[in-house]
Amino acid sequence: MSEQDQMINELFNNHEELTEKQRRILAAAIESFAEKGYAATSTSEIAKKAGVAEGTIFRHYKTKKDLLLCIVAPLMAKLLAPFVIKDFDKVLNQEYERFEDFVKAMIENRAQFLKNNMQLFKILVQEIPFQPELKEQFTEHIAKKIFERFRKIVEHYQSKGQIIIMEPYSVVRMLASTIFGYLIARYLLMPEDEWDDEGEMERSIFILMHGLSPK
Amino acid sequence: MSEQDQMINELFNNHEELTEKQRRILAAAIESFAEKGYAATSTSEIAKKAGVAEGTIFRHYKTKKDLLLCIVAPLMAKLLAPFVIKDFDKVLNQEYERFEDFVKAMIENRAQFLKNNMQLFKILVQEIPFQPELKEQFTEHIAKKIFERFRKIVEHYQSKGQIIIMEPYSVVRMLASTIFGYLIARYLLMPEDEWDDEGEMERSIFILMHGLSPK
Amino acid sequence: MSEQDQMINELFNNHEELTEKQRRILAAAIESFAEKGYAATSTSEIAKKAGVAEGTIFRHYKTKKDLLLCIVAPLMAKLLAPFVIKDFDKVLNQEYERFEDFVKAMIENRAQFLKNNMQLFKILVQEIPFQPELKEQFTEHIAKKIFERFRKIVEHYQSKGQIIIMEPYSVVRMLASTIFGYLIARYLLMPEDEWDDEGEMERSIFILMHGLSPK
Amino acid sequence: MSEQDQMINELFNNHEELTEKQRRILAAAIESFAEKGYAATSTSEIAKKAGVAEGTIFRHYKTKKDLLLCIVAPLMAKLLAPFVIKDFDKVLNQEYERFEDFVKAMIENRAQFLKNNMQLFKILVQEIPFQPELKEQFTEHIAKKIFERFRKIVEHYQSKGQIIIMEPYSVVRMLASTIFGYLIARYLLMPEDEWDDEGEMERSIFILMHGLSPK
DNA sequence: AATGAATGAGTTTTCATTCAT
DNA sequence: CATGAATGAAAACTCATTCAT
């Protein structure tokens, strides 16, 4: 089973049974959407790449946009899932005594996930601005739920004296900028360069924690 | 003269004389590309919005892609211009004794520029992954020239003991993540929220310089 | 059993045994054909309305047109049946001494039949011009057989001095115009208006018999 | 100039300027719609018959249905125009002393018009049941305006003692049935037969006026 | 320089029909 | 008998581009 297949399975197999053709359609669509963008990809192209008749696509997905949403929505869910677990903060608080360890673990975990799903991530990032459904889902989850949890975590570590006292929103934003900034540079802008992933990650976290100024 | 017009003038009037119709075409294209994406915008739509005949667009721009490039390329040039000035590093070094002041000045300057050209910036960000010409231009300038200058600046301040000793690439990347992370959150993801721009910027720079850990 | 079912039974049960699914297919097809027209109705729509799989339709009817003909042909047969009975004229002649009574009985009888099968009648009327098979059947029966009988009846009543001497064809055409004109206005053009059916019918026959001029 | 062209001119030239291609599109659409029905005619077929590119059709008519309505709506207007003239009844009353003459003139006039526009009439008749816009236009004009005028005319001749006293609605309906019944039989059902138009018309009017019963 | 009618290849989507299960 | 996934041809419609005026 190819890497693509694994990715698709990881995204879909929990929720639905996929036929072979459906999987091939999804794989083809993901590849093309990531490469050329949603609007610039034609359904006939997807059909050809998937080795199915064009009509077959529309038997499974009512419209082209439906196909896009069926690809991207579960990614967003999975991407954000770890932050939505009910007792997320408690678990983590106990597990990670130091804020730095928490950050490290979280970043590594999510970075790994996105690395495994880079094509999907690219599609998500590209299409969020143009698909109101996605945008809504995104802000609904991020802004309302996830952010609230992060705020609590930040406040928790602040009360323990491990983080400076500062508007939590700014802290969370810097955290997100650091992780996404790295991922975008690494996988979207300059994927063909050689990267010292381990080192880059460590250095990012170090700057995030201790800043650029020498003590 | 509208804000749009000013933006367009700022981008183009140095290089070329624009007729009234050309300006209207550019304004319409920028608006539509930013709103719906390049691929999802039709030339007839642009013509209608600009109040010109469809053929007129193609009199000025050979193809639709040509129109896109004529919009985005000068933006990229202007965006990067300050960093390309011949004696860029010398000038700045003398002007800003402290690295923190340099960062602050640079961020404020470029953030202001992007804020004034947010639609254009959005188009640029969206289309870079799909337009090889843009990508090439981008990496050509950024990776080869700009980055080299930044590396020197970082090394300069490192030698003065104002920044920690660390792989300059990582430092530059964190700098870029901080500024773009802020701008994307601010203007692309949540433009309708209320923002304390001044404060957010300051806090970002503080974290960048001193980190999240208390001393 | 619904009205639809009765109608379908009336049309089909003499000739063939219908399974439950077949009956549901027929009912769905009749409803959709009458509402949107044959060409504008899709087989998948019929299948959905009938609650059967798409393939099931084609198990019973080789093609979509076959389905149409299987619906419309028996209607035409039944509609014309009373006029085809072997000794039609003899029977009628004896039963109705006066031409007016004959006309009344016939009109009432056939109007009732069409009223009971209005959807089917609508389909028939709509599709006759476009389906050569139907047109042929129609002219074959009407023009050649039915008309001949009517001509004889008219001549019979003419010889008895009950009808004016006039080209029988014209007489028959006026008869048909009167009945169909009424039915089309009543059920196809303005079905939602209130109608005094009894009265309208009587007045139609009166005019047909005695004309609009006062004596 | 062909017969088709004359018909099209008669319908459209008063209102709009038609380009050569538009006229060819209209002619092709009318021919195909009349022959196979609106739903069963494809736009590619129309384009081919008209000798234009398929896109050209959609430059002039936003949708296929738009094309249909642009063909049929003016026909309906023209068909009903004579009855909408402001002082329609006065004029006619003075011109035709006898009701029979009025009927004769009117029938001849409208029959001639429909004969000249038989294809269009066929399309109109076929599509009225399926196009709500047409149906509404039709009932709006017929039921509300035309019918009211006819009612007055009938009442006028009734008061002069030339027509029997009877619900005017029924009188009007019989009038319409007579004229449309004749036209449909003549031109739609059996167009290839030989017809004695003059004679048929006269006989129809005679029966309408004096009935089938001998005095 | 500007127009806008015309194009034809291309787009998304539908549909009647088939066939393995 | 019944199913419904699969098909591919064709449908309606769009679009970037051209060109005569």
Side-chain angles (χ1 to χ4, degrees):
Chain A
M1 191 187 280
S2 79
E3 221 180 289
Q4 271 258 18
D5 277 345
Q6 281 182 330
M7 179 181 77
I8 290 172
N9 272 343
E10 200 185 326
L11 271 193
F12 295 99
N13 63 353
N14 301 335
H15 300 293
E16 325 157 35
E17 296 294 329
L18 290 180
T19 69
E20 171 57 17
K21 304 233 166 191
Q22 269 193 70
R23 171 176 290 110
R24 290 220 306 272
I25 290 170
L26 286 171
I30 289 168
E31 196 177 313
S32 290
F33 287 166
E35 190 187 332
K36 324 175 49 180
Y38 166 75
T41 300
S42 74
T43 50
S44 80
E45 191 187 331
I46 295 171
K48 205 172 291 167
K49 190 178 275 179
V52 303
E54 210 168 344
T56 307
I57 294 176
F58 290 92
R59 174 157 293 275
H60 294 291
Y61 306 94
K62 271 174 80 76
T63 65
K64 189 187 165 194
K65 182 171 284 181
D66 193 34
L67 174 58
L68 172 68
L69 295 180
C70 283
I71 284 171
V72 168
L75 175 78
M76 197 144 68
K78 288 251 173 167
L79 175 61
L80 306 177
F83 310 125
V84 187
I85 298 164
K86 253 195 158 177
D87 40 3
F88 168 59
D89 26 33
K90 279 180 202 154
V91 169
L92 285 177
N93 292 352
Q94 286 162 1
E95 214 167 331
Y96 303 103
E97 184 61 36
R98 300 188 323 153
F99 178 66
E100 192 166 342
D101 295 337
F102 159 72
V103 168
K104 208 169 206 159
M106 185 201 64
I107 286 183
E108 262 166 18
N109 175 266
R110 289 299 84 190
Q112 190 61 40
F113 176 79
L114 287 181
K115 195 179 138 187
N116 290 343
N117 298 277
M118 192 40 58
Q119 283 183 318
L120 285 163
F121 180 54
K122 194 177 171 189
I123 300 171
L124 178 67
V125 162
Q126 289 294 335
E127 289 306 320
I128 275 186
F130 301 136
Q131 311 295 340
E133 299 95 327
L134 288 181
K135 200 167 187 174
E136 197 190 347
Q137 251 190 70
F138 178 76
T139 50
E140 192 68 20
H141 282 101
I142 291 284
K144 305 254 157 79
K145 292 185 196 152
I146 312 282
F147 175 68
E148 210 42 51
R149 279 167 199 278
F150 266 91
R151 164 185 288 267
K152 278 184 190 154
I153 292 169
V154 166
E155 283 167 351
H156 171 77
Y157 284 109
Q158 283 176 331
S159 73
K160 283 173 75 178
Q162 291 192 16
I163 326 183
I164 54 174
I165 301 305
M166 176 186 274
E167 168 65 32
Y169 179 78
S170 301
V171 177
V172 175
R173 192 171 43 67
M174 275 299 285
L175 250 164
S177 290
T178 302
I179 178 171
F180 287 113
Y182 169 67
L183 288 169
I184 287 170
R186 169 70 179 88
Y187 292 106
L188 298 186
L189 295 179
M190 301 162 157
E192 48 292 282
D193 289 14
E194 291 272 315
W195 285 72
D196 166 18
D197 286 311
E198 188 90 10
E200 286 293 333
M201 212 74 236
E202 252 172 40
R203 289 192 287 278
S204 295
I205 294 174
F206 181 88
I207 297 173
L208 187 67
M209 294 306 298
H210 306 291
L212 293 169
S213 301
K215 309 267 155 70
Chain B
M1 190 187 282
S2 79
E3 218 179 290
Q4 271 259 17
D5 276 345
Q6 281 182 330
M7 180 180 77
I8 290 171
N9 273 343
E10 201 185 327
L11 271 192
F12 296 99
N13 63 353
N14 302 335
H15 300 293
E16 328 157 34
E17 296 296 328
L18 289 181
T19 70
E20 170 57 18
K21 304 231 166 191
Q22 272 193 68
R23 171 175 289 109
R24 289 220 308 270
I25 290 169
L26 287 169
I30 290 168
E31 197 178 312
S32 290
F33 287 166
E35 191 186 331
K36 324 175 50 181
Y38 165 75
T41 299
S42 74
T43 50
S44 80
E45 192 187 331
I46 294 171
K48 202 176 292 169
K49 190 178 273 179
V52 303
E54 287 191 56
T56 308
I57 293 176
F58 291 91
R59 183 151 297 277
H60 293 290
Y61 306 94
K62 267 176 78 75
T63 65
K64 188 186 166 192
K65 182 170 285 183
D66 192 34
L67 175 57
L68 172 68
L69 296 180
C70 283
I71 283 170
V72 167
L75 174 78
M76 197 145 68
K78 289 253 174 170
L79 175 62
L80 306 177
F83 310 124
V84 187
I85 299 165
K86 254 194 156 178
D87 39 4
F88 168 59
D89 26 31
K90 281 177 202 159
V91 169
L92 284 177
N93 293 352
Q94 286 162 0
E95 215 167 331
Y96 302 104
E97 184 61 36
R98 300 188 323 154
F99 178 68
E100 190 166 345
D101 295 338
F102 160 73
V103 169
K104 207 170 206 159
M106 186 201 64
I107 285 183
E108 262 166 19
N109 175 266
R110 289 300 81 189
Q112 190 60 40
F113 175 79
L114 287 181
K115 193 180 141 187
N116 289 343
N117 297 277
M118 192 40 60
Q119 282 184 320
L120 285 163
F121 181 53
K122 195 177 170 188
I123 299 171
L124 178 67
V125 162
Q126 290 294 335
E127 290 306 321
I128 275 187
F130 302 135
Q131 311 295 341
E133 299 94 327
L134 288 181
K135 200 166 187 175
E136 197 189 348
Q137 251 190 73
F138 178 76
T139 49
E140 192 67 22
H141 284 99
I142 290 284
K144 305 259 156 76
K145 293 185 195 152
I146 311 283
F147 175 68
E148 211 42 53
R149 281 169 199 277
F150 264 92
R151 163 186 288 267
K152 278 183 190 157
I153 291 169
V154 166
E155 283 168 350
H156 171 78
Y157 283 109
Q158 283 176 332
S159 73
K160 282 174 76 178
Q162 291 192 16
I163 326 183
I164 54 175
I165 300 305
M166 177 185 276
E167 168 66 31
Y169 179 78
S170 301
V171 178
V172 175
R173 194 174 40 69
M174 275 299 285
L175 249 165
S177 290
T178 301
I179 178 168
F180 287 113
Y182 170 68
L183 287 169
I184 287 170
R186 171 70 180 87
Y187 292 106
L188 297 186
L189 295 180
M190 301 163 158
E192 49 290 284
D193 288 14
E194 291 272 313
W195 285 72
D196 166 17
D197 285 311
E198 189 90 8
E200 286 293 332
M201 211 76 236
E202 252 172 40
R203 288 193 287 278
S204 295
I205 294 174
F206 180 88
I207 297 173
L208 187 66
M209 294 307 298
H210 306 292
L212 294 169
S213 300
K215 310 265 155 73
Chain C
M1 189 188 283
S2 80
E3 220 180 288
Q4 272 257 18
D5 277 344
Q6 281 183 329
M7 181 179 77
I8 290 172
N9 273 344
E10 200 184 327
L11 270 192
F12 295 100
N13 63 353
N14 303 335
H15 300 294
E16 325 158 35
E17 293 296 326
L18 289 181
T19 71
E20 171 58 17
K21 303 231 168 192
Q22 272 194 69
R23 171 176 288 110
R24 290 221 305 273
I25 290 169
L26 287 171
I30 289 168
E31 197 177 314
S32 290
F33 287 166
E35 191 185 331
K36 322 174 52 182
Y38 165 76
T41 299
S42 74
T43 50
S44 79
E45 191 187 330
I46 294 170
K48 203 175 292 166
K49 190 177 272 179
V52 303
E54 290 192 51
T56 308
I57 292 175
F58 291 91
R59 184 151 296 278
H60 293 289
Y61 306 93
K62 265 175 79 75
T63 66
K64 188 186 166 194
K65 181 169 287 181
D66 192 34
L67 175 58
L68 172 68
L69 296 180
C70 283
I71 284 171
V72 167
L75 174 78
M76 198 145 68
K78 288 252 172 167
L79 174 62
L80 306 178
F83 310 125
V84 187
I85 298 166
K86 256 194 155 179
D87 39 4
F88 169 58
D89 26 33
K90 280 179 200 155
V91 169
L92 283 176
N93 291 353
Q94 285 160 1
E95 214 165 333
Y96 303 103
E97 182 63 35
R98 300 189 322 156
F99 179 66
E100 190 165 346
D101 295 336
F102 160 72
V103 168
K104 208 171 207 158
M106 184 200 64
I107 284 184
E108 262 165 21
N109 175 266
R110 289 300 84 191
Q112 190 60 40
F113 176 78
L114 287 180
K115 194 179 142 187
N116 290 342
N117 298 276
M118 193 39 59
Q119 282 184 318
L120 285 163
F121 180 53
K122 195 177 170 190
I123 299 171
L124 177 67
V125 161
Q126 290 294 335
E127 291 305 322
I128 275 186
F130 302 136
Q131 311 296 341
E133 299 93 329
L134 288 181
K135 200 166 185 174
E136 197 189 348
Q137 252 190 70
F138 178 77
T139 48
E140 193 67 20
H141 283 101
I142 290 284
K144 306 259 156 75
K145 293 185 195 152
I146 311 286
F147 175 68
E148 211 42 51
R149 280 170 200 276
F150 265 91
R151 163 185 289 267
K152 278 185 190 156
I153 291 168
V154 166
E155 284 168 349
H156 171 78
Y157 283 108
Q158 283 176 332
S159 74
K160 282 174 76 179
Q162 291 192 19
I163 326 182
I164 53 175
I165 299 305
M166 176 185 279
E167 167 65 33
Y169 179 78
S170 301
V171 177
V172 175
R173 192 172 43 67
M174 274 298 284
L175 248 165
S177 290
T178 301
I179 179 170
F180 287 113
Y182 169 67
L183 287 169
I184 287 170
R186 171 67 180 90
Y187 293 105
L188 298 186
L189 294 180
M190 304 165 155
E192 49 291 282
D193 288 15
E194 291 272 314
W195 286 72
D196 165 18
D197 285 311
E198 189 89 10
E200 287 293 332
M201 212 73 235
E202 251 173 40
R203 289 192 286 278
S204 296
I205 294 175
F206 181 88
I207 297 173
L208 188 67
M209 294 306 299
H210 306 290
L212 293 169
S213 300
K215 310 267 155 71
Chain D
M1 188 187 282
S2 79
E3 218 180 292
Q4 271 258 17
D5 277 344
Q6 281 183 330
M7 180 180 75
I8 291 172
N9 272 343
E10 200 184 327
L11 270 193
F12 295 100
N13 64 351
N14 302 335
H15 300 293
E16 326 156 36
E17 297 293 328
L18 289 181
T19 69
E20 170 58 18
K21 302 232 168 192
Q22 272 194 67
R23 171 175 290 110
R24 291 221 305 271
I25 291 169
L26 286 171
I30 289 168
E31 197 177 314
S32 289
F33 287 167
E35 189 186 332
K36 324 175 49 180
Y38 166 75
T41 300
S42 75
T43 50
S44 80
E45 190 188 331
I46 295 171
K48 205 172 292 167
K49 190 177 276 179
V52 303
E54 207 169 344
T56 307
I57 293 175
F58 290 94
R59 174 156 294 276
H60 293 291
Y61 305 93
K62 270 173 81 74
T63 64
K64 189 186 164 193
K65 181 172 285 183
D66 194 34
L67 175 57
L68 172 68
L69 295 180
C70 283
I71 284 171
V72 167
L75 175 78
M76 197 143 68
K78 289 253 172 164
L79 175 61
L80 305 178
F83 309 125
V84 188
I85 297 163
K86 254 194 155 178
D87 39 3
F88 168 59
D89 26 34
K90 279 179 201 155
V91 169
L92 285 177
N93 292 351
Q94 283 161 2
E95 216 166 329
Y96 303 104
E97 185 60 35
R98 301 188 322 154
F99 177 69
E100 190 165 343
D101 294 337
F102 159 73
V103 167
K104 208 169 205 159
M106 185 201 64
I107 285 184
E108 262 166 18
N109 175 268
R110 288 299 82 190
Q112 189 60 40
F113 175 79
L114 288 181
K115 193 180 142 188
N116 289 344
N117 297 277
M118 192 40 59
Q119 282 184 318
L120 286 164
F121 180 54
K122 193 177 172 189
I123 299 171
L124 177 68
V125 161
Q126 288 294 334
E127 289 307 320
I128 275 185
F130 301 136
Q131 311 295 341
E133 300 95 327
L134 288 181
K135 199 167 187 174
E136 197 189 347
Q137 252 191 69
F138 178 77
T139 49
E140 191 69 20
H141 282 100
I142 291 285
K144 305 257 157 78
K145 291 183 197 152
I146 311 286
F147 174 68
E148 209 42 50
R149 277 168 202 278
F150 266 91
R151 163 185 288 267
K152 277 185 192 155
I153 292 168
V154 166
E155 284 167 351
H156 171 79
Y157 283 110
Q158 282 176 333
S159 74
K160 281 174 77 178
Q162 292 192 17
I163 326 183
I164 53 175
I165 301 305
M166 175 186 278
E167 169 65 31
Y169 179 78
S170 301
V171 176
V172 175
R173 192 171 45 66
M174 275 298 285
L175 247 165
S177 291
T178 301
I179 178 170
F180 286 113
Y182 169 66
L183 287 169
I184 288 170
R186 170 68 180 87
Y187 291 107
L188 299 185
L189 295 179
M190 302 163 158
E192 50 289 284
D193 287 16
E194 291 271 315
W195 285 72
D196 166 18
D197 286 310
E198 188 89 10
E200 285 294 330
M201 211 75 237
E202 251 172 42
R203 288 192 287 276
S204 296
I205 294 174
F206 180 88
I207 297 173
L208 187 67
M209 294 306 298
H210 306 291
L212 294 169
S213 300
K215 307 266 155 71

